[in-house]
Amino acid sequence: MLWAYERHGRDLGASLIPGCFLTGGILGVLGASAMESYLLHPSLWVFLGVGLIEEAVKLLALMFVLRRHPGIHGMRAGLVLGATVGFGFAAFESAGYAFNAAVTMKGIDLRALLETEVLRGVLAPFGHGPWTAIAGGVLLSFRTPNGRFRLAAPAIGTYLGVAVLHSLWDSMHGIAIWLVARVTDTGLSRALFAQGYTPAPTDEQRHLFTVFSIGGMVVITLVALAWLRSLARGTRGAGADGRPDARIHTP
């Protein structure tokens, strides 16, 4: 986040960065948790609902922060501030997962806490940040000079696209199990699939599960990064208001 600000967002103003980070983290996580608990129920489509809700909440957090900054619009500003909101969401969400992992019936498990933070810290740059950067960039590219957000068809389509990437990422564990069952011709009931494990897996099944789960996440990451790069190419030399700015140089 700081790298993006130093390289591409100094003219956005230093106050917007912590504002987007904290709003995306606190209000985003709380809002998403509340909506998911009320609206979602266990099903094969639950991860699609999670993706739609969390990506919508992060965009609402971005719009909330920028409500008093009508001059901030354009693709580049949306990419930087969208990524900031996404990384704030990821940071606070990771803290919640680490807390849950650390608190056990036997006391505080520091090893579980550190393992959770390290794993999610490694994965974070390829998840919430890029997804919200993509959606935020397109959203702000259609923002009018008077500060009104336009829900144009490309903005809605982009939101749905990143929500699908999000849902595929979250459901990759179950998808990998299903693929293993299909490849190895092993019957898998809906109950076992919902619980997220394969009973008595063979060495081949373990190997295939690792390949499918990690390979799927790599493919999703490459799609998101390629999408993000294609949007960033159109922002060379653009200022926070969408006009050319000689101070900004994007490699």
Side-chain angles (χ1 to χ4, degrees), residues 82-114:
T84 304
V85 169
F87 284 128
F89 188 98
F92 281 81
E93 184 183 53
S94 296
Y97 279 110
F99 178 79
N100 289 335
V103 178
T104 66
M105 297 295 294
K106 298 181 180 180
I108 303 298
D109 188 345
L110 293 180
R111 179 177 180 180
L113 184 149
L114 292 175

Side-chain angles (χ1 to χ4, degrees), residues 28 31-40 46-60 89 159 163 166:
S33 299
M35 293 179 67
E36 289 168 4
S37 63
Y38 281 105
L39 299 178
L40 299 182
V46 66
F47 289 117
L48 180 58
V50 170
L52 290 170
I53 290 174
E54 293 189 357
E55 294 307 320
V57 167
K58 287 184 289 180
L59 288 179
L60 289 174
F89 188 98
Y159 155 70
H166 187 156

Side-chain angles (χ1 to χ4, degrees), residues 39-203:
L39 299 178
L40 299 182
H41 305 283
S43 70
L44 292 177
W45 303 100
V46 66
F47 289 117
L48 180 58
V50 170
L52 290 170
I53 290 174
E54 293 189 357
E55 294 307 320
V57 167
K58 287 184 289 180
L59 288 179
L60 289 174
L62 177 62
M63 296 166 67
F64 176 79
V65 175
L66 296 180
R67 71 193 188 282
R68 296 183 179 178
H69 300 273
I72 302 297
H73 61 89
M75 179 66 72
R76 184 179 60 80
L79 292 175
V80 174
L81 297 179
T84 304
V85 169
F87 284 128
F89 188 98
F92 281 81
E93 184 183 53
S94 296
Y97 279 110
F99 178 79
N100 289 335
V103 178
T104 66
M105 297 295 294
K106 298 181 180 180
I108 303 298
D109 188 345
L110 293 180
R111 179 177 180 180
L113 184 149
L114 292 175
E115 288 177 348
T116 302
E117 285 286 10
V118 170
L119 176 61
R120 294 186 63 85
V122 171
L123 296 177
F126 310 106
H128 286 290
W131 298 332
T132 316
I134 294 169
V138 177
L139 177 67
L140 262 65
S141 67
F142 286 94
R143 192 184 191 190
T144 61
N146 63 1
R148 188 172 65 89
F149 291 96
R150 291 177 53 210
L151 298 181
I156 296 176
T158 300
Y159 155 70
L160 295 176
V162 296
V164 170
L165 291 179
H166 187 156
S167 63
L168 288 174
W169 177 282
D170 287 348
S171 59
M172 190 49 61
H173 180 90
I175 293 174
I177 292 176
W178 181 81
L179 289 175
V180 169
R182 296 288 294 180
V183 171
T184 58
D185 294 326
T186 300
L188 190 64
S189 68
R190 289 177 60 89
L192 293 177
F193 179 76
Q195 294 178 25
Y197 68 89
T198 302
T202 64
D203 290 339

